[in-house]
Amino acid sequence: VLAVGGIVVGVLVATGVINTQTVGPTVAPNSTVSPGNSTTRDGGWTTWAEWQACDVTCGGGVQRRSRTCSNPAPGGDGRDCAGRDAQVRACSDWKCPDCTRTCAVGTLSTACDTCICDNHVLNGRVTDTRNAPLDNAEVFFAEKPWEAAATTNS
């Protein structure tokens, strides 16, 4: 008994360690042993597989990934995994290029994304907001904004 100023505030209970010995079958996590020694094991999901490649390159497609109920697999009267074994998400949702268009000059690339003009010279002037020429400025076509078509020289 723990007392402070004559008032009982708690009871201390002595504890000890009891040596134990396992008798019978060893049981895995999420498992129980039923009468008759049959093991019941609930199923567990594996981690998700990597996303598969998109099924199209443009125009909107889908990617898939999956997992299995085998970590561990259900056993005996154990429960199957809860939830779905597959996921789907959208991919390649940009517009496909128009392969029927014609180029004013040159030929349409095999990817249908730009007109190819071999041995042509671009003439023009690239200036800043004060109309001063810009040196070493990269020029891009609207169809390929990630690839410079030319660089200016003053």
Side-chain angles (χ1 to χ4, degrees):
V1 175
L2 179 60
V4 176
I7 300 173
V8 176
V9 294
V11 176
L12 295 176
V13 178
T15 60
V17 176
I18 301 172
N19 291 328
T20 60
Q21 181 179 359
T22 303
V23 177
T26 303
V27 179
N30 298 329
S31 300
T32 58
V33 176
S34 302
N37 263 353
S38 66
T39 302
T40 298
R41 182 179 54 245
D42 292 338
W45 289 114
T46 58
T47 57
W48 287 104
E50 295 294 318
W51 287 102
Q52 294 176 353
C54 192
D55 61 347
V56 297
T57 57
C58 63
V62 294
Q63 285 180 291
R64 293 175 171 80
R65 70 177 182 172
S66 61
R67 61 184 178 172
T68 60
C69 185
S70 60
N71 190 27
D77 291 330
R79 294 177 294 195
D80 284 334
C81 298
R84 297 184 182 259
D85 65 349
Q87 289 181 329
V88 177
R89 70 178 179 187
C91 58
S92 300
D93 58 353
W94 48 84
K95 196 167 100 174
C96 292
D98 179 8
C99 292
T100 63
R101 72 181 181 151
T102 56
C103 297
V105 177
T107 57
L108 190 60
S109 70
T110 56
C112 305
D113 59 357
T114 191
C115 293
I116 300 171
C117 304
D118 293 330
N119 300 321
H120 285 70
V121 177
L122 296 175
N123 291 313
R125 184 176 164 155
V126 180
T127 60
D128 64 13
T129 56
R130 297 181 316 263
N131 209 25
L134 293 175
D135 192 26
N136 293 320
E138 291 183 326
V139 179
F140 299 85
F141 289 115
E143 295 88 3
K144 284 192 169 184
W146 60 88
E147 184 178 304
T151 303
T152 62
N153 55 6
S154 309

